[in-house]
Amino acid sequence: MSLTAGIVGLPNVGKSTLFNAITNSRVEAANYPFATIEPNVGVVEVKDERLINLSKLFEPERTIFTTFEFTDIAGLVKGASTGEGLGNKFLANIREVDAICHVVRCFEDSDITHVYDRIDPVDDIEIINYELQMADMSTCENRIGKVEKKALNTKDKDAIFEYQFLKKINDALGRNQNIRSLSFSKEEAAYLKQFNFLTAKPVIYVCNIKEDEINDPDTNRYYCAVKDYAEKEGSQVVAISAKIEEELSDLSKEEKLEFLNELDIDHSGLDDLIVKAYKTLGLETFFTVGKDECRGWTFKSGYTAPQCAGIIHTDFEKGFIKAEVYTYEDIMEYKTEAKLKEAGKLRLEGKDYHPKDGDIMFFRFNV
């Protein structure tokens, strides 16, 4: 399952530096607007501690972690929705991602220019939200123009439904509301997906703060302002120091732990970002284990056992019979599958079973 988060923000807020840290790559991170023109895409392994422990237990030939894809999208500016600052191209890139990581500058530094010569992260957020809203409104109004006459002059139920649905969205956008803040019926939610609206995408606000504030971000008034904004919107917020994260990305595991200890923090901001990205997208992980391979698989919360089997191979879903299931906690306690069986902790589940995060599964199928 390939899911992508797009890293967006105004120019010079730390997007490309963050991307460097995420992928341990070296995209250009220059101190001027529009240093990033083409979207840079990188895939990062999700270093799940549970899979590391399972590999120690089963000693497989290989261990394969789940992955998450990040896209570094060039900085937006005022007027992006009408094409300013290469805006149309950037908006098209945002349209392709599943979630938005919105990086905001929460630090002062006279050596790093701000495109509007002031530090106000909430205003920065609202600039980009406005541009995304205007882009969505344009999409909405174009479609309303095509369906309105049919909806008003006929009794076509589909046309009436679409017209009323789009009017609801357009009216909200006109009030500077994001589509993700609206409530939808099951039918409306299903219909929404086909439009790929920008402000319908879930958002994580990533506050880029100074290195000496990372172990207590609440001392940063800019971070606190963004956190209040995110809470009102129902979005996630993460505090990071992009500079620290980039330094960490160059270190070995042992060096990284030592550096984190020196900073008096137990995990990096990127670890927190990935966890919240999973939560925002409703993602969970199941595992398959054995002597040949221990592997994590990403699935959407609410999937059935056959749907999870289909992530491995479509034949597994088509010919699904049963799933042998046990929990990560149980295998860590009993150490072997044989002892799990003796303790009655290994169970068979059918087509209606909804796997839980951390389940270990073996699929029986016939095609």
Side-chain angles (χ1 to χ4, degrees), residues 290-311:
K291 285 295 181 184
D292 57 336
E293 176 183 286
C294 284
R295 182 166 184 168
W297 303 86
T298 302
F299 69 100
K300 278 272 193 181
S301 178
Y303 268 25
T304 62
Q307 286 176 307
C308 285
I311 293 170

Side-chain angles (χ1 to χ4, degrees), residues 18 22 70 101 204 206 238 269-277:
L18 176 62
I22 287 171
F70 286 90
C101 292
I204 303 168
V206 183
V238 178
L270 289 182
D271 294 335
D272 196 17
L273 175 58
I274 291 170
V275 168
K276 289 187 176 179

Side-chain angles (χ1 to χ4, degrees), residues 51-67:
L51 185 55
I52 293 170
N53 291 334
L54 288 169
S55 294
K56 290 177 182 176
L57 200 62
F58 285 88
E59 298 180 341
E61 293 179 12
R62 59 187 177 276
T63 299
I64 302 177
F65 294 91
T66 59
T67 59

Side-chain angles (χ1 to χ4, degrees), residues 210-230:
K210 286 187 174 182
E211 303 95 294
D212 58 4
E213 297 172 328
I214 197 63
N215 60 352
D216 191 7
D218 285 321
T219 60
N220 182 307
R221 62 190 176 93
Y222 300 124
Y223 167 76
C224 291
V226 174
K227 188 166 71 168
D228 289 344
Y229 185 95

Side-chain angles (χ1 to χ4, degrees), residues 179-200:
I179 296 171
R180 60 180 170 272
S181 70
L182 303 178
S183 297
F184 294 104
S185 67
K186 188 174 182 180
E187 185 180 11
E188 287 175 331
Y191 198 72
L192 178 66
K193 293 178 181 178
Q194 69 178 288
F195 290 97
N196 206 14
F197 286 119
L198 301 171
T199 66

Side-chain angles (χ1 to χ4, degrees), residues 255-269:
E255 290 171 331
K256 180 178 177 179
L257 290 172
E258 185 178 343
F259 189 24
L260 291 173
N261 286 333
E262 289 176 2
L263 295 171
D264 196 27
I265 53 178
D266 56 7
H267 62 276
S268 75

Side-chain angles (χ1 to χ4, degrees), residues 94 100 102 122 124-137 140 168-184 192 197-205 229-230 232-235:
I94 297 171
I100 296 171
H102 187 160
V122 171
D124 290 352
I125 288 170
E126 291 183 340
I127 286 171
I128 288 187
N129 277 344
Y130 177 79
E131 297 303 329
L132 300 185
Q133 288 162 4
M134 290 302 99
D136 280 348
M137 186 177 284
C140 204
K168 171 182 176 178
I169 288 176
N170 203 51
D171 290 346
L173 290 167
R175 297 190 299 270
N176 294 324
Q177 282 184 269
N178 294 312
I179 296 171
R180 60 180 170 272
S181 70
L182 303 178
S183 297
F184 294 104
L192 178 66
F197 286 119
L198 301 171
T199 66
K201 297 180 186 296
V203 171
I204 303 168
Y205 294 109
Y229 185 95
K232 290 174 185 175
E233 191 184 70
S235 296

